[in-house]
Amino acid sequence: MVGANRLENANPLIYQRTGERQLTAQEEDEDVADKIDDREIFDLIRSINDPEHPLTLEELNVVEQVRVKVNDDESVVSVEFTPTIPHCSMATLIGLSIKVKLLRSLPERFKVDVHITPGTHVSELAVNKQLADKERVAAALENSHLLEVVNQCLAVKTS
């Protein structure tokens, strides 16, 4: 939040959530190895809570399935996210939350790249540099207050 209780984007657009993915019998079979795909990654990050609003990143259109790319054979996941406003001060926190969710959820073999959709934020290059720097990410997660905020973003909300 900016100031004592003033929101940066007090009136964000709210988007319709996509439906839940129907799992096939093969996907549910634990004995069959299935590749991780774009939709599976999107399903992991869609319900991350926005740090400023009582909405998910999907509801704010910050994350979209079309901006998720997975190459399971090369163990690479790439996620672009779009802040709701070009000067969003929460962009680094949002990116960090996405990165932490994926690092906690995926096998260690995956390289996770999280970055801002090109042209959608005034500090895009600086934020992307922070999110790409493993040491900065690790240092950020050693900060107990910041880790608590990230964990709040990742907490599952009960309806």
Side-chain angles (χ1 to χ4, degrees), residues 29-127:
D29 186 346
E30 294 297 325
D31 295 327
V32 176
D34 58 326
K35 292 186 176 197
I36 294 175
D37 61 14
D38 300 355
R39 179 59 193 250
E40 192 169 349
I41 298 301
F42 177 70
D43 285 344
L44 287 171
I45 64 174
R46 67 192 286 193
S47 61
I48 294 174
N49 302 307
D50 182 77
E52 194 173 38
H53 296 285
L55 300 165
T56 66
L57 297 185
E58 180 186 21
E59 291 168 324
L60 292 170
N61 214 37
V62 172
V63 294
E64 301 172 87
Q65 185 177 341
V66 297
R67 300 206 180 282
V68 174
K69 303 293 179 236
V70 177
N71 184 327
D72 189 83
D73 294 330
E74 294 182 16
S75 301
V76 176
V77 172
S78 177
V79 175
E80 284 185 352
F81 68 98
T82 307
T84 59
I85 52 176
H87 54 277
C88 176
S89 66
M90 300 288 173
T92 304
L93 177 59
I94 290 168
L96 184 62
S97 297
I98 294 168
K99 189 158 192 142
V100 167
K101 176 68 174 183
L102 294 175
L103 290 172
R104 288 179 181 174
S105 303
L106 293 171
E108 286 185 24
R109 69 181 172 90
F110 277 92
K111 178 185 182 306
V112 176
D113 173 39
V114 175
H115 56 276
I116 292 178
T117 305
T120 63
H121 194 274
V122 296
S123 300
E124 169 189 335
L125 295 177
V127 172

